[in-house]
Amino acid sequence: MIGVLLVEDMHLIRGALAALIGLEDDMRIVGEVSTGREAVTLGLELRPEVVVLDIQLPGELDGLDAARELRAGAPECGLLMLTSAGGTETLRRALEIGARGFMLKDAPPARLAEAIRRVASGETVVDPGLAAAAITGRPNPLSPREAEVLRRAGEGADLAEIAAELFLSKGTVRNYLGAVVTKLDARNRLDAVRIAAKNGWI
């Protein structure tokens, strides 16, 4: 029997996933949580065969951060990442962490169940659509510093806050943001945040 820990902050989606997995004779839900921190705590306690983990989670740990901690503390747990929009960079980071699976949330139920089985058996499973996007997707044009500045701007930090946090001048932060908007061919900073987030660059 494959024990599955479900980590998804949207109750409706989590309930639907639990119901789908519950229909499978060889699987059982051992826990359901909504944050990355809860995922790490329960995952280390229960040691399920597979942790199905949403990449975008609220709180201090997003799905990738939680996956990294689970990988370090419970390496025997198979990690199956779920996403609604699979950017190339996000896929790369998930695989680098050691996730064995990467699926779109709207994948057919049979495909998700099969992915859980394969991850439990030690295989690596990547949704065909995501794999194609990873091959053809454009590479990340942002430097680590540009990505960090844009990430903080996307979280609502103003120029002064970003400058203080990163030990830069406000003018330098402004220059970084201007360069990012140009590189991403965005209309403005907000559009740049949207483009970068969609592609998994921040």
Side-chain angles (χ1 to χ4, degrees):
M1 184 69 72
I2 301 170
V4 179
L5 172 60
L6 265 184
V7 189
E8 165 61 61
D9 63 307
M10 296 183 70
H11 297 290
L12 194 63
I13 293 176
R14 192 169 73 237
L17 290 171
L20 290 170
I21 292 169
L23 294 173
E24 302 296 326
D25 295 335
D26 57 343
M27 299 177 196
R28 66 186 179 94
I29 302 293
V30 298
E32 297 180 40
V33 295
S34 58
T35 70
R37 179 52 63 201
E38 290 172 319
V40 172
T41 301
L42 203 57
L44 294 180
E45 177 189 333
L46 298 177
R47 308 279 171 150
E49 281 76 19
V50 178
V51 181
V52 177
L53 193 63
D54 184 12
I55 282 183
Q56 293 161 321
L57 293 171
E60 57 171 319
L61 294 181
D62 66 11
L64 290 173
D65 293 329
R68 186 176 289 107
E69 291 198 19
L70 282 166
R71 186 68 180 155
E76 73 276 17
C77 294
L79 301 173
L80 175 58
M81 312 302 292
L82 293 182
T83 181
S84 52
T88 307
E89 190 70 11
T90 306
L91 172 58
R92 184 188 62 76
R93 287 170 60 200
L95 294 175
E96 279 181 358
I97 287 167
R100 289 195 213 133
F102 203 82
M103 298 290 293
L104 285 169
K105 284 185 183 180
D106 60 358
R111 188 181 292 169
L112 178 61
E114 184 59 27
I116 291 172
R117 289 187 188 96
R118 290 176 62 188
V119 166
S121 69
E123 294 181 54
T124 297
V125 184
V126 178
D127 184 279
L130 292 173
I135 294 168
T136 60
R138 73 195 260 207
N140 183 359
L142 304 180
S143 70
R145 179 64 88 181
E146 288 169 341
E148 181 62 25
V149 168
L150 186 62
R151 184 181 301 111
R152 290 297 293 119
E155 291 168 353
D158 61 25
L159 289 178
E161 289 173 319
I162 299 172
E165 282 181 29
L166 303 181
F167 305 102
L168 301 169
S169 70
K170 286 199 293 184
T172 300
V173 172
R174 191 179 293 110
N175 288 342
Y176 272 127
L177 289 171
V180 166
V181 168
T182 300
K183 279 186 176 183
L184 300 186
D185 196 23
R187 294 186 299 275
N188 50 41
R189 290 176 195 169
L190 189 63
D191 193 36
V193 169
R194 180 190 63 77
I195 293 168
K198 180 181 177 184
N199 285 281
W201 298 332
I202 60 172

